[in-house]
Every structure is written in structure tokens, then in C-alpha cells.
Amino acid sequence: MIRPLMIGVDVGGTFTDVFVLDESSGTAQVAKVATSRPDQSGGFLDGIRTRVDDLDSVSVIVHGTTAGTNALLERKGARIGIITTEGLRDVLEMRRRDRPRTWGLRGDFVPVVPRDLRLEVPERTLADGCIRTPVDLDAVTAAARALIEDGCLACAVMFANSYANPENERAAVAAVRAVWPNAHVSASSEILPEIREFERFSTTALNAYLQPEVSGYIDRLETALKSDGFAGEFMIVQSNGGVMDVATAAKVPVRTALSGPAAGVIAAGYIAEAAGFPNVITGDMGGTSFDVSLIAAGQSMLTPQTSIDFGMVIRSPMIEIATIGAGGGSIAWVDRGGLLNIGPESAGSTPGPVAYGQGNTRPTVTDANVVLGRIDPDSPIGGKLKRLDVDAARAAILEHVGKPLNLDALQAAEAILTVANSRMAGALRLVSIERGFDPKNFAFMPFGGGGALHAGAMLADVGLARAIVPRYPGVLSAMGCVIADMRQDFVQTINAPLAGLDITALTRFMQGHIDSGHATLDAAQTRFESRDVTFTLDMSYLGQTHTVSVPLVVTVSDGTVRQVTPDQIAAAFDDAYLATYDRVLKNGTRRVINLRSAVTGRRPRFDLSSLAPKGGSVEAAHVATRQVHFGDTWYNTAIYKRLDLPVGARIPGPAILEQPDTTVLIEPGLTGLIDALGNTIIERSGG
């Protein structure tokens, strides 16, 4: 049976976004519904049902989720236990001897696993892989039973130097799994076989902490989908921008951190490059946060690790995203010193901004946009509300911001946007100027429900060349779910000088990574246009702490890796080191620390031009004129139905382009152009 529909679903803190692509016709539908709390699966299913009646016509559903991230941020993971080497029960607490605050002698970090649930057993593997003390399996079994009796739902086994030789840890894991009542047992040598004890322990512990929550959530979704007639493939977006099957997601849920924002960056990169702008800075503004990422020459920036919160370190490849609490639902407040602040507290979807009329009394960024006329109170996004309460929003702004700062309601609303825009501009500078990139060479792509309201401010504050508003910015992360490739990342610590490197062992690791990656792709039900394999080495000179990433050109023929030579590795390292530091150390001893491999199945892309408007006219799309406040003046502002504007239309500011999933604001002095893909290119008038 032919199933022409592909569905992407992104669950955010405020809204759940759905993007439905009909591959047979090239048409798309979008939906935005309120995120359900505390169980996000309700909103997920409701969003799909608003656009698709028969799930039997769906070939694949891809989900970008914040379930894991929220569980970490809110400390709502499972009660778990740890079994570790004697003397290492406090690694999670010691971390890297860092502190949550720069000044002061005390911190308030508490690991996700209490100390009484971190149990030690006799065993010891040395850094060179030699086993000094075989693992005491009786002690392991006793520890596992004690954790079960203490109510632990998951267990993490983390032994010293298991990246160098996992024999002790594998034996212990087998003993634990023999008595553990469920599948939630994580082993550090399986999750992250990489040098550096704290990062490996932290990643493994957080994986165990998430397993019951995330696997249960995924299982509920999959069961509900199947009961509704879905017989296609259900996949989850990873934080590296690829997708994985649900079995992998349930086993390694730590890879879902920042899953939703990563999907948005993937879609933004694809759209921007198709529009002719390979250099772009993305800004995903939802109800709770503003997520920023940089794409240079069509390539997303990947980071090897991130901290979800202080001390909660995840070492896994992920798209580099800077997040601040400046979403549409972020609350504006004045501190005791008389300074106006935005966030990090958010009103979320429930109760939402004051204008939603659901019980919140403190003003948000959305309330400021409503009061200033930038959001139509009669057409709120999300489809749940009939009308926004402008008077309530104005009164809340006056009470909580205007009176403390001696401003009227309009001045206070403008002040809220000024502070919010300043914070967002700071995030854009963080990923561009502070990384050596000139914003003048980049376009800004705002998306999420509120991003396109702030495009003009970002051009002015950061000096960006232009903004590109995609056809469906409010659901771009959901679109990214449909676009994302299937990717598997692997790492293996080598930790040897290049001069004495065992090339045969290195090749064996490469081959193992390829075989495992291809096996995962083979098991997937989805279709791939091609498959890519990449290898990089983390390398440094002897005595250095920091490494450089060294791409390796490796020949793979019929799935078999051809050996590289030490001379090839040396030349590649010199090139990478020179590009990074502008010099090489002629007498330095080169060391290979880690091997990193990625196996990617390239999923079919759909033609973005199929989303572009067909026909139409500017006159027909012009539906109204209303007063909108900019700076200290009200302007007569033209209102257009954005999706009805034809290709080639030029819209001078001030203007507002409305559509079901977002509002696009073209400020005075700017002009919007509808390109061949249906994007709106916003530039300075006459520029």
C-alpha cells in the first residue's frame, strides 16, 4: 500500500507544531495546538488529528521532543542507582571542580543520584586496559538487589577506564541485567566509550535518569498511534540533527536533549541554502525560550558536549545552540533596583500571557506585542482562543512595569520589547561575533511562533544583512523533522602517540562503527537516497589538554574500510592544527585521543518550490489597515494575508503579514520580498 504522507511533530514548551507533507502532490498542511501538560503525548496526538483523519495513509512520523530536556531542567527524571568502582562514587559531585557561581566558597549543586544510591564494588581496570582487579560479581548482584529494594527504576554501571577495556563492566552489566526488573540498565562503555571519567559518568547517569520517563513517553505515543491505524515508521530527532528509531531513543534517551531545536536548525539550513544564502543565523522564538544557532557555508556547527544545566553535562555530538529565556511567554518584571528584566520564568501555554485570559496577571513579551498592535487580537495562533484580551494585557503592563518605572502603558510595552530584543541580539552576537564571524555576511532566519515579530530589531541591533522568513516559520522545527537524515554517531578512545599507533586496531574500530551504523540503517523502514560515512580524530600534541578535530579521508569500498597510514594522519593533523592556531610545533609529539565516526542515511528531500504561492495578487492579499506602534509613534500599517501574496511581491514597511502559525512584522524603513520558494526576504528599503 502506498502511504504518501510524512508528518513532523515538534513539541515545545507552549505549542505543539505539526507539519504534514503529501509527497504525491507536494502540498503541505500545518497545525499548531497547545502543548498538553504534564503528559505531552496528548497534544502530540491532538495536533496530528487536526490534519490527518486516516493514519493508515502515513508512511513516517518523526518527532522532535523536549521531554528529556524538560525532565533534566525540572529534575523530574526517575529514581536511579549507580554501581561504580571503589573510590569513584563521588565523581558526579566533584565534577571538574567548578562552581555554579564565580564568587563564594559554597555551591548548591546536587547530583541527580543521591549518595546513598551510588554503590561501590571491587574492580579495577588501568588506563592502558590491563585489569588489576577482576570485578566481584557477587558484590555487583548484591548492589543491584539493594538498589531495587530502595525503589530505583534504572541503574547505571560506570567503571574506571572501561573505555580502554570494557571486560569488567560488561560482566557487571550482565549480572545486573540478570536481576533487574526492566530494561533500564545503562553501561558507560556502551553509552560513551571515551576518556575523561566525569563526562562519561555524567552522560551515562543522565541517560539512566531519563530512560523510564522518555521510554514510557515514546511507548505511550507508539501505542496510541498504532491503535489509530498507524502502520508506518515512528522516529525521533536526535540532538545532532539526525533521526533515530524509537528503540534506539528508548535505549539512549540522552541523545534527545535539544531534539526539537535541532530539527529547526536542520530545516533552516536547507531552506536558506535553497534560497541562495548558505550563511545564516537562526533564531527560534517559542513561548518559553529563544534558541540561536549559526550555519556557515551550509554546515551547522556541532559541539561535542553541552551542559543542560550546571553540572549536568552530556557528552554527545549535538548542534550548537545557545538558549536564553526570552520567548513570547517570558514574564517581564522590575527588580528591587529598578531594572526591567525579561524571563527566565515563562507563563508557558497554561496559563499563558495575560491576553489569553487564563489566569495569569503578569505581563509577557506577547502581551507587549498585543498592546502595541503588532498581533491581531482577533486571530490568536494556536486555534484555541477566540480573541485576546488587549485591555487586560495593557493593565498588567501598566501595573507591573509602567508604574515602577514611571512609564505609561505604551512606553512600558516598548521598554519590554527593547529589553527582550537586546537579550536576543546578545545571543546572536554570542554565536557570531564572539566566534569570529561577521554578522554582515549572514542572514537572520527567525522562526517559531514569535520570531518573525523581531526580525527588524535583529537587523538593526546586530547589523545583519537581511532576514529570511520561511513559508511556515511557526512550525519550522516540525518541518525539520521531515527533512532530517538518519544519523548514527560513534566514539572510541585510542589515547596513543601517532608514532606507535596500532593502525590495524584503528581500522577495526572504524569497521565496527560502519557495520553497526549500516545495520541500524538497514533495519529502518524509511528510504535513503544515499549513505555517507565520515571519520574524524581528536588529536593534540603530548602535554596538551585541548584537542583539535582532524577530518580523515578514508576509502570505504563495498562497506569495507581501507587502512590509512600514519603519514596521512600526520598531514591531516598538521593542516587542522595550522588552521586553528596558525602554527605547528615541529618537535611536538602527536597524539591520537579519540576516533569519531558518523554513518548517515540521506533521506529524500522535497522540493521547497512546491510550497510557494500559486498565483494571487498583492491587492487581493491586502485585507485591512490598523494602527501599530513603533518607537513613540502610531503608524497606519497595511495588513496582508501572507500565504496569499504572490511570488515577486514587494511589501514596503510598515506592514504585517499574517498567517495561522505566526505573524511577520515589516518595520518602517524595511521592505519584504516574496521569493520563488515562498520565503519573505526582509531588507532595508533601498538597500
Side-chain angles (χ1 to χ4, degrees):
M1 176 180 178
I2 297 176
R3 297 185 174 94
L5 300 184
M6 298 178 66
I7 300 178
V9 183
D10 173 58
V11 178
T14 304
F15 289 108
T16 293
D17 303 330
V18 178
F19 182 86
V20 181
L21 174 69
D22 188 330
E23 290 187 288
S24 61
S25 65
T27 58
Q29 299 182 74
V30 302
K32 185 181 282 284
V33 300
T35 294
S36 55
R37 297 293 184 89
D39 185 358
Q40 297 178 350
S41 60
F44 177 100
L45 297 167
D46 289 345
I48 291 178
R49 288 167 183 150
T50 62
R51 292 293 179 266
V52 179
D53 295 325
D54 183 11
L55 289 183
D56 193 42
S57 63
V58 179
S59 62
V60 60
I61 296 176
V62 186
H63 179 25
T65 175
T66 56
T69 307
N70 291 342
L72 293 177
L73 290 174
E74 298 171 13
R75 295 293 187 109
K76 292 183 178 178
R79 180 177 175 85
I80 71 168
I82 286 175
I83 299 175
T84 190
T85 307
E86 284 183 331
L88 296 186
R89 72 189 300 191
D90 295 319
V91 167
L92 293 179
E93 209 142 13
M94 292 187 294
R95 304 179 307 281
R96 288 288 168 195
R97 298 180 68 187
D98 50 356
R99 292 177 292 181
R101 289 176 292 278
T102 303
W103 309 110
L105 299 177
R106 298 183 181 181
D108 54 3
F109 174 73
V110 178
V112 296
V113 190
R115 196 169 192 268
D116 62 320
L117 298 179
R118 306 195 299 259
L119 307 183
E120 299 176 350
V121 296
E123 79 83 30
R124 191 70 184 192
T125 299
L126 303 183
D128 62 2
C130 294
I131 295 179
R132 171 184 286 177
T133 306
V135 61
D136 185 336
L137 294 180
D138 290 338
V140 169
T141 301
R145 293 187 187 280
L147 293 175
I148 294 170
E149 291 176 4
D150 271 332
C152 292
L153 300 178
C155 178
V157 181
M158 309 183 303
F159 285 175
N161 299 314
S162 62
Y163 66 86
N165 182 351
E167 183 179 333
N168 270 357
E169 191 170 278
R170 284 176 180 168
V173 168
V176 173
R177 287 174 176 160
V179 299
W180 203 260
N182 56 47
H184 306 324
V185 179
S186 298
S188 71
S189 55
E190 296 173 357
I191 302 298
L192 187 68
E194 183 178 343
I195 195 171
R196 294 178 184 268
E197 236 69 41
F198 166 63
E199 287 76 9
R200 180 162 54 87
F201 279 28
S202 176
T203 304
T204 306
L206 294 179
N207 190 79
Y209 187 62
L210 293 177
Q211 264 191 304
E213 169 71 22
V214 174
S215 63
Y217 169 69
I218 292 173
D219 184 64
R220 290 193 299 275
L221 284 178
E222 191 171 29
T223 300
L225 289 171
K226 288 180 178 178
S227 67
D228 277 4
F230 176 62
E233 185 167 29
F234 182 33
M235 294 191 289
I236 307 296
V237 178
Q238 301 182 76
S239 49
N240 62 14
V243 298
M244 56 186 167
D245 58 44
V246 291
T248 303
K251 181 181 178 182
V252 198
V254 76
R255 293 183 187 173
T256 66
L258 302 179
S259 161
V265 175
I266 291 297
Y270 177 53
I271 292 170
E273 190 157 27
F277 303 103
N279 295 329
V280 63
I281 301 174
T282 69
D284 179 4
M285 186 178 184
T288 305
S289 64
F290 182 63
D291 303 320
V292 180
S293 188
L294 183 139
I295 301 169
Q299 297 296 314
S300 302
M301 301 290 108
L302 285 179
T303 181
Q305 75 178 46
T306 192
S307 294
I308 297 299
D309 197 0
F310 175 79
M312 303 173 74
V313 172
I314 295 175
R315 188 159 181 84
S316 179
M318 58 186 66
I319 291 178
E320 190 168 12
I321 297 171
T323 299
I324 62 171
S330 294
I331 291 172
W333 55 285
V334 177
D335 64 21
R336 287 180 294 182
L339 295 178
L340 176 59
N341 296 271
I342 304 295
E345 186 180 0
S346 172
S349 58
T350 305
V354 176
Y356 282 19
Q358 297 180 152
N360 177 37
T361 60
R362 294 180 295 170
T364 67
V365 175
T366 292
D367 290 314
N369 278 311
V370 169
V371 167
L372 296 174
R374 302 180 183 194
I375 293 176
D376 183 1
D378 293 313
S379 301
I381 64 174
K384 192 174 181 180
L385 303 172
K386 297 300 183 183
R387 193 178 194 282
L388 300 179
D389 191 336
V390 182
D391 292 337
R394 183 183 296 109
I397 289 173
L398 183 61
E399 176 67 26
H400 293 277
V401 177
K403 289 181 179 178
L405 299 179
N406 294 318
L407 303 173
D408 63 30
L410 289 177
Q411 292 171 328
E414 287 284 359
I416 290 171
L417 293 190
T418 298
V419 174
N421 289 333
S422 176
R423 293 199 64 209
M424 288 187 277
L428 266 63
R429 295 187 189 97
L430 176 67
V431 301
S432 58
I433 296 172
E434 295 189 24
R435 306 290 172 82
F437 295 98
D438 187 346
K440 293 196 298 292
N441 299 325
F442 285 78
F444 173 56
M445 183 174 286
F447 59 97
L453 284 165
H454 301 265
M458 295 304 98
L459 298 189
D461 290 0
V462 184
L464 294 150
R466 60 187 56 81
I468 309 168
V469 184
R471 181 73 167 164
Y472 298 107
V475 296
L476 198 70
S477 290
M479 180 193 289
C481 294
V482 172
I483 293 173
D485 296 316
M486 194 165 190
R487 171 171 171 155
Q488 298 294 310
D489 284 283
F490 304 89
V491 63
Q492 178 62 55
T493 291
I494 307 299
N495 199 20
L498 179 58
L501 184 64
D502 186 340
I503 295 294
T504 301
L506 178 66
T507 305
R508 186 170 62 251
F509 285 130
M510 290 179 172
Q511 190 65 56
H513 292 172
I514 286 182
D515 293 344
S516 180
H518 281 310
T520 301
L521 297 185
D522 291 340
Q525 299 177 39
T526 191
R527 177 170 62 90
F528 302 112
E529 290 188 335
S530 63
R531 299 186 182 195
D532 298 338
V533 178
T534 59
F535 298 103
T536 58
L537 297 175
D538 295 339
M539 295 184 63
S540 67
Y541 287 112
L542 180 65
Q544 292 181 333
T545 298
H546 299 289
T547 62
V548 295
S549 180
V550 180
L552 279 187
V553 178
V554 179
T555 301
V556 181
S557 179
D558 295 327
T560 302
V561 177
R562 182 179 298 175
Q563 285 190 358
V564 294
T565 66
D567 288 343
Q568 288 175 298
I569 296 174
F573 171 70
D574 289 348
D575 289 344
Y577 199 91
L578 185 65
T580 304
Y581 297 110
D582 202 31
R583 60 174 296 188
V584 295
L585 306 182
K586 293 183 178 180
N587 298 320
T589 299
R590 305 179 184 91
R591 289 187 63 84
V592 177
I593 308 301
N594 299 308
L595 163 69
R596 299 187 186 277
S597 311
V599 180
T600 305
R602 302 292 178 187
R603 296 169 66 213
R605 297 286 198 262
F606 68 91
D607 184 1
L608 289 169
S609 63
S610 65
L611 303 181
K614 307 296 189 292
S617 68
V618 174
E619 292 75 20
H622 183 208
V623 293
T625 299
R626 74 166 178 261
Q627 291 284 298
V628 180
H629 197 271
F630 298 95
D632 57 3
T633 306
W634 289 99
Y635 287 77
N636 282 325
T637 301
I639 312 298
Y640 296 87
K641 287 186 176 181
R642 185 190 176 208
L643 299 183
D644 293 345
L645 288 168
V647 170
R650 285 188 174 274
I651 308 298
I656 288 177
L657 317 182
E658 296 180 340
Q659 63 188 92
D661 60 316
T662 196
T663 299
V664 182
L665 179 68
I666 303 175
E667 297 191 17
L670 301 177
T671 298
L673 168 68
I674 309 301
D675 74 359
L677 303 180
N679 304 310
T680 301
I681 312 298
I682 300 177
E683 298 180 311
R684 295 169 182 84
S685 300

